Amino acid sequence: MLIFCPRKAGALAGTIVDFSLYPIDTIKTRLQASSGFRRSGGFQGVYRGVGSALVGSAPGAALFFVSYESIKAFFQQRRDAAVSARSGESGDWSEPVELMVAASVAEVAACAIRVPTEVVKQRAQALQSPSSLAALRSIWALRKPHGVRGSTGLVAVWREMYRGWGITVFREVPFTVIQFPLWEVMKEWRRRTQGRDSISGWESGIFGSIAGAVAAGVTTPLDVLKTRMMLARERQAMIPLVVSIWSESGPRAFFAGLGPRVLWISAGGAIFLGSYQWAYNALQNTPR
């Protein structure tokens, strides 16, 4: 039962969010692109590249929530056993750390699907390719001898599909370490104040929106770096890229797209975690 609910609920929530808020994500990507907002497409074709997002959304979200809920349940069982062994003495101090670990491991797992999806999607969004399929074909063509320098065959394709893996994980882990414990704390507060065992989907959505907005604002500089690395014509290391952006555009460049990112993730947090909670509650009450 534990795996079944998060898998389906997460897949549904991820697909709803990625499709409904895709135009905001496109605008954010174009604001962060080194070629500039207008050259990257401006407000035209804001659903360009949506195909790759839809293909990767459900499995990526499902993998995240299966990992997250499983690890969280594992820690809960260990904590409950430890409390029982101490004759009921509370061990709540460890719960925030457990949530951070569960969320971090789940994000790393989800990045196995998310990174290739992001690479293809953002190249279509920034007009480097006319569509997700064209972007994927251009990457697949790198298996030929003229591929990525120093790589040949499928190794070149693999490296290009996972370009920006490190910075994506580096962005997602702190984002999740902020968002999910904050979301869980607000849910627990609501349960205790209302004397209930669970919360509704709309309550979860409100808490998810608040937590997402805070996490999005704090991690925007990392998101800018991820976008620049994925859109660069050649592979770039993180530190030289940071120096380059700072010298060419100043510190404000690291907060490019802050408004759309906060709006996108705040709204996405409401839909994603609200629909996740709704689906999770419904699936738990459905006879198997």
Side-chain angles (χ1 to χ4, degrees), residues 22-37 40 42 118 121-127 171 223-224 226-228 230-231 256-257 260-261 264:
Y22 192 81
I24 302 175
D25 180 39
T26 298
I27 291 170
K28 184 269 301 182
T29 297
R30 291 172 178 177
L31 284 169
Q32 293 177 346
S34 59
S35 57
F37 180 68
S40 297
E118 285 279 306
K121 179 194 74 174
Q122 290 197 320
R123 291 182 183 185
Q125 286 177 322
L127 301 188
R171 179 198 67 173
D223 188 56
V224 171
K226 188 224 43 143
T227 299
R228 292 288 186 94
M230 286 184 172
L231 295 180
R261 175 169 165 79
W264 167 48

Side-chain angles (χ1 to χ4, degrees), residues 17-128:
V17 169
D18 282 350
F19 183 76
S20 61
L21 300 178
Y22 192 81
I24 302 175
D25 180 39
T26 298
I27 291 170
K28 184 269 301 182
T29 297
R30 291 172 178 177
L31 284 169
Q32 293 177 346
S34 59
S35 57
F37 180 68
R38 290 184 180 276
R39 286 191 174 185
S40 297
F43 293 103
Q44 302 293 320
V46 292
Y47 270 98
R48 185 186 293 267
V50 71
S52 60
L54 293 180
V55 168
S57 178
L63 181 57
F64 173 85
F65 273 110
V66 165
S67 303
Y68 178 69
E69 294 290 353
S70 299
I71 296 169
K72 192 173 74 169
F74 169 75
F75 281 134
Q76 179 71 50
Q77 291 172 357
R78 287 173 58 91
R79 183 151 39 85
D80 290 346
V83 170
S84 298
R86 292 195 297 268
S87 301
E89 181 183 342
S90 176
D92 286 346
W93 63 269
S94 63
E95 186 173 3
V97 177
E98 294 169 0
L99 293 175
M100 291 178 185
V101 172
S104 298
V105 173
E107 278 294 356
V108 173
C111 278
I113 296 173
R114 184 176 297 140
V115 172
T117 300
E118 285 279 306
V119 169
V120 172
K121 179 194 74 174
Q122 290 197 320
R123 291 182 183 185
Q125 286 177 322
L127 301 188
Q128 291 186 356

Side-chain angles (χ1 to χ4, degrees), residues 44-272:
Q44 302 293 320
V46 292
Y47 270 98
R48 185 186 293 267
V50 71
S52 60
L54 293 180
V55 168
S57 178
L63 181 57
F64 173 85
F65 273 110
V66 165
S67 303
Y68 178 69
E69 294 290 353
S70 299
I71 296 169
K72 192 173 74 169
F74 169 75
F75 281 134
Q76 179 71 50
Q77 291 172 357
R78 287 173 58 91
R79 183 151 39 85
D80 290 346
V83 170
S84 298
R86 292 195 297 268
S87 301
E89 181 183 342
S90 176
D92 286 346
W93 63 269
S94 63
E95 186 173 3
V97 177
E98 294 169 0
L99 293 175
M100 291 178 185
V101 172
S104 298
V105 173
E107 278 294 356
V108 173
C111 278
I113 296 173
R114 184 176 297 140
V115 172
T117 300
E118 285 279 306
V119 169
V120 172
K121 179 194 74 174
Q122 290 197 320
R123 291 182 183 185
Q125 286 177 322
L127 301 188
Q128 291 186 356
S129 294
S131 66
S132 294
L133 184 58
L136 186 60
R137 284 173 175 167
S138 68
I139 294 173
W140 180 246
L142 295 176
R143 72 190 187 281
K144 299 176 182 178
H146 63 271
V148 176
R149 185 168 54 192
S151 302
T152 57
L154 294 179
V155 173
V157 175
W158 178 272
R159 292 189 65 199
E160 196 67 10
M161 287 293 287
Y162 280 91
R163 185 196 285 198
W165 161 272
I167 189 61
T168 302
V169 171
F170 196 49
R171 179 198 67 173
E172 293 296 343
V173 168
F175 175 89
T176 307
V177 162
I178 296 170
Q179 183 189 33
F180 273 82
L182 186 56
W183 175 60
E184 293 281 8
V185 165
M186 288 189 285
K187 288 202 304 176
E188 182 62 24
W189 167 80
R190 183 66 175 174
R191 282 193 291 262
R192 289 183 178 182
T193 56
Q194 296 297 309
R196 303 197 309 250
D197 292 332
S198 63
I199 68 169
S200 65
W202 71 266
E203 290 171 323
S204 177
I206 292 173
F207 299 147
S209 178
I210 296 170
V214 173
V218 172
T219 58
T220 295
L222 298 175
D223 188 56
V224 171
L225 288 175
K226 188 224 43 143
T227 299
R228 292 288 186 94
M229 290 181 78
M230 286 184 172
L231 295 180
R233 293 186 179 278
E234 297 183 359
R235 299 178 68 88
Q236 292 182 286
M238 184 173 68
I239 299 303
L241 180 59
V242 170
V243 173
S244 174
I245 295 174
W246 185 280
S247 61
E248 293 176 6
S249 307
R252 291 184 62 182
F254 290 99
F255 288 92
L258 173 64
R261 175 169 165 79
V262 171
L263 175 62
W264 167 48
I265 294 182
S266 178
I271 299 171
F272 185 61

